[in-house]
């Protein structure tokens, strides 16, 4: 992952990212020694090895911890478990990697059943030899319900390689969560634009301001639409210019296609029609201002992205991305332009004019 630009704890990152809507609390326990050596769990086939370890841990602490205190919404499920192991990290997506998964055991403790857990190696607590919580932050995004936005099958010949090109906390652990992620988590309240108007956007990172732009708004986030934000190389984006547009501020447009419907991909099965790995369309992707689709063609040389940010005078669906269209042929044709009129000095805001015909 890309690491956080300056140290944030798991709690401080999510407090800031959620605009104080999420305040994570937990208890750090003493190191726990499993009953068997690592190879036993690695080779276990009769049960899910992580669930076996969870049962060991829960049973050990059952007499001293009231697990019902860790069920914030009283739904009978433990809110989350973080297991940090001292075995060396293995290959990506192997057992000895970092991931979120679900408890498959049948036990309850103090009437509470374990559910989501994070499993990660201790060495991932460090990034460039510095303590960094970014793996905790990314995996907690999964615990909250967010998908991975990177490509699980990179180089599969789909000509559909990257939605966000690394630039997201749920892609290459870089920067912040994008506006769509924060919308579905209930942290920001976007303005829905489906009629001609002029509006101002303040920097997304500090204001949480974002637009949903569509000519067919069905009243649900689980649909297809555009999302707009004002990107600035500030806050959690500081120090990530190699991922985020060479630090070029401006209007950033996302194409979201979050229609619901089980997608049984062998690479990345989800409850959405689309994922960011192997579906024809992406769940979420940047609409590159230069229109050359360097991200999706898997062209790393095209990732020096200053040209992918809309600047004053750029008009989406006029002098930029003139023929852009919805994924769904059944939707009414895209009949609007987005004109980036002006930008105030010192990241003071951008003025947009959105015209529906």
């Amino acid at each position: 992952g890309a690491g956080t630009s300056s140290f944030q704890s798991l709690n401080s990152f999510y407090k800031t990212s959620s605009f104080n809507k999420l305040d994570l609390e937990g208890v750090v326990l003493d190191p726990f020694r499993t009953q068997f050596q690592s190879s036993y769990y690695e080779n276990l086939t009769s049960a899910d090895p992580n669930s076996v370890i969870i049962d060991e841990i829960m049973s050990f602490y059952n007499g001293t911890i009231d697990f019902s205190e860790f069920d914030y919404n009283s739904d009978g499920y433990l809110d989350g478990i973080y297991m940090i192991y001292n075995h060396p990290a293995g290959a990506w997506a192997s057992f000895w990697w970092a991931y979120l998964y679900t408890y498959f055991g049948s036990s309850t403790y103090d009437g509470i059943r374990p559910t989501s857990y994070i499993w990660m190696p201790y060495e991932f607590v460090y990034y460039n030899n510095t303590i960094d919580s970014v793996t905790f932050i990314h995996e907690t995004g999964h615990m909250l319900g967010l998908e991975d936005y990177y490509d699980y099958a990179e180089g599969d010949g789909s000509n559909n390689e990257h939605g966000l090109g690394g630039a997201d906390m749920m892609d290459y652990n870089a920067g912040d969560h994008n506006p769509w992620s924060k919308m579905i988590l209930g942290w920001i309240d976007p303005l829905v634009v489906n009629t001609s108007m002029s509006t101002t956007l303040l920097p997304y990172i500090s204001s949480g301001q974002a637009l949903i732009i569509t000519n067919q708004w069905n009243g649900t986030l689980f649909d297809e639409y555009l999302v707009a934000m004002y990107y600035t190389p500030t806050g959690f984006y500081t120090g990530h210019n190699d991922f985020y547009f060479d630090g070029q501020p401006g209007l950033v447009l996302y194409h979201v296609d979050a229609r619901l419907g089980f997608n049984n991909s062998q690479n990345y099965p989800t409850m959405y029609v689309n994922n960011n790995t192997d579906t024809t369309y992406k769940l979420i992707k940047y609409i590159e201002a230069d229109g050359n689709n360097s991200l999706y063609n898997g062209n790393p040389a095209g990732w020096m992205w200053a040209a992918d940010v809309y600047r004053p005078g750029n008009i989406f669906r006029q002098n930029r991305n003139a023929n852009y269209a919805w994924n769904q042929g059944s939707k009414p044709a895209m009949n609007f332009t987005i004109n980036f009129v002006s930008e105030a000095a010192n990241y003071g805001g951008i003025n947009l004019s959105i015209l529906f015909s």
Side-chain angles (χ1 to χ4, degrees):
T4 49
S5 53
S6 60
F7 180 76
Q8 297 285 332
S9 71
L10 181 65
N11 175 275
S12 68
F13 175 89
Y14 275 105
K15 263 189 174 174
T16 301
S17 185
S18 70
F19 302 97
N20 291 314
K21 289 186 171 65
L22 180 60
D23 185 2
L24 289 167
E25 294 182 359
V27 170
V28 179
L29 302 174
D30 291 334
F32 176 83
R33 184 177 292 277
T34 55
Q35 187 176 346
F36 302 104
Q37 293 184 333
S38 58
S39 58
Y40 169 83
Y41 303 97
E42 186 177 358
N43 298 316
L44 196 62
T45 56
S46 59
D48 171 53
N50 298 113
S51 299
V52 171
I53 295 171
I54 288 172
D55 281 329
E56 284 189 37
I57 296 169
M58 300 288 284
S59 298
F60 180 82
Y61 283 106
N62 202 21
T64 54
I65 293 177
D66 179 0
F67 289 110
S68 66
E69 294 180 358
F70 298 89
D71 176 16
Y72 185 75
N73 62 350
S74 301
D75 64 352
Y77 290 96
L78 194 72
D79 291 336
I81 301 171
Y82 294 75
M83 293 187 287
I84 318 302
Y85 57 83
N86 66 348
H87 189 283
W92 174 78
S94 69
F95 180 64
W96 301 113
W97 192 247
Y99 49 82
L100 172 116
Y101 211 52
T102 298
Y103 172 75
F104 283 106
S106 56
S107 300
T108 59
Y109 304 87
D110 300 318
I112 303 299
R113 181 189 174 102
T115 175
S116 296
Y117 65 82
I118 286 166
W119 172 257
M120 62 175 272
Y122 179 74
E123 64 192 77
F124 282 15
V125 176
Y126 293 86
Y127 181 76
N128 286 344
N129 297 316
T130 304
I131 290 178
D132 198 309
S133 58
V134 71
T135 303
F136 289 95
I137 292 168
H138 174 98
E139 299 301 337
T140 299
H142 290 314
M143 195 173 274
L144 295 171
L146 299 178
E147 306 284 322
D148 274 322
Y149 300 143
Y150 62 84
D151 192 334
Y152 269 57
E154 191 173 339
D156 60 358
S158 65
N159 200 34
N160 188 24
E161 293 301 316
H162 294 273
L164 302 179
D168 193 82
M169 181 51 70
M170 299 310 296
D171 192 334
Y172 204 64
N173 301 2
D176 197 3
H177 290 298
N178 67 67
W180 181 68
S181 293
K182 294 194 188 190
M183 291 173 193
I184 60 175
L185 291 172
W187 296 347
I188 64 173
D189 188 16
L191 174 66
V192 177
V193 179
N194 55 6
T195 187
S196 296
M197 66 179 299
S198 294
T199 190
T200 300
L201 281 176
L202 297 175
Y204 163 73
I205 194 73
S206 54
S207 70
Q209 290 185 356
L211 306 176
I212 289 175
I213 306 173
T214 178
N215 54 325
Q216 184 185 51
W217 175 239
N218 295 321
T220 172
L221 294 175
F222 303 107
D223 201 1
E224 184 184 3
Y225 45 83
L226 305 190
V227 171
M229 75 170 189
Y230 176 28
Y231 166 77
T232 57
T234 57
F236 290 153
Y237 295 128
T238 305
H240 289 301
N241 291 0
D242 53 336
F243 283 94
Y244 285 93
F245 317 113
D246 294 338
Q248 172 67 67
L251 172 68
V252 169
L253 291 178
Y254 297 87
H255 187 156
V256 172
D257 190 349
R259 289 172 284 160
L260 295 175
F262 186 55
N263 158 30
N264 196 20
S265 153
Q266 67 179 48
N267 291 305
Y268 201 87
T270 79
M271 297 307 294
Y272 297 105
V273 172
N274 301 300
N275 61 34
N276 268 33
T277 290
D278 52 17
T279 50
T280 302
Y281 303 114
K282 294 293 189 191
L283 173 64
I284 181 170
K285 69 174 187 177
Y286 290 121
I287 304 175
E288 301 169 40
D290 60 12
N292 70 359
N293 284 333
S294 58
L295 277 183
Y296 320 117
N297 296 334
N299 174 20
W303 292 3
M304 303 309 293
W305 296 355
D308 292 331
V309 180
Y310 295 80
R311 299 293 301 150
N314 293 167
I315 306 176
F316 172 75
R317 290 197 69 255
Q318 192 165 308
N319 61 21
R320 298 296 170 105
N321 306 94
N323 300 311
Y324 204 85
W326 298 118
N327 297 337
Q328 302 174 75
S330 59
K331 275 177 79 76
M334 212 176 268
N335 65 337
F336 55 85
T337 57
I338 306 169
N339 183 3
F340 186 170
V341 178
S342 62
E343 179 180 26
N346 302 317
Y347 309 140
I350 59 176
N351 297 309
L352 306 177
S353 179
I354 302 162
L355 181 66
F356 286 76
S357 58

